[in-house]
Amino acid sequence: RGTSAGAHVAGMVMGVADDKARDKVARRRLQIEHAAHASRGAKLVKLADKYANISSLREPPPTWSPAVVHGYALWGYEVVAGLRGVSAHFDARFDALFA
């Protein structure tokens, strides 16, 4: 049973994983385009990941300029916009985060 559950979770993660062979601009564009078409489980993984990443921008890495932080937040907002309605919990959290 554990192997089956592990395979299921791995499949969800792979459903939203970036193709590291592509450049950053292409990977970000594809995340926006593909997020809405992933399985529900993969969408939840993406929402959790984006929430963790975007909420951590309150204390961004010291090497990130304000422009980089702003750009990341805007891109994250676009990804999350394609996932609205998947989880009322995450919708509320992102509403508060982006307010």
Side-chain angles (χ1 to χ4, degrees), residues 26-92:
R27 288 194 315 265
R28 286 186 171 189
R29 179 182 48 78
L30 289 171
Q31 275 198 38
I32 294 166
E33 292 174 7
H34 293 162
H37 305 291
S39 70
R40 184 174 192 287
K43 289 175 182 178
L44 289 170
V45 168
K46 178 62 74 179
L47 284 166
D49 181 58
K50 284 291 162 251
Y51 184 78
N53 293 344
I54 295 169
S55 64
S56 74
L57 293 178
R58 293 177 184 141
E59 295 182 30
T63 58
W64 284 26
S65 70
V68 170
V69 172
H70 186 253
Y72 188 90
L74 286 176
W75 164 69
Y77 182 85
E78 289 186 64
V79 174
V80 170
L83 300 172
R84 298 287 300 180
V86 172
S87 165
H89 171 79
F90 279 115
D91 286 353

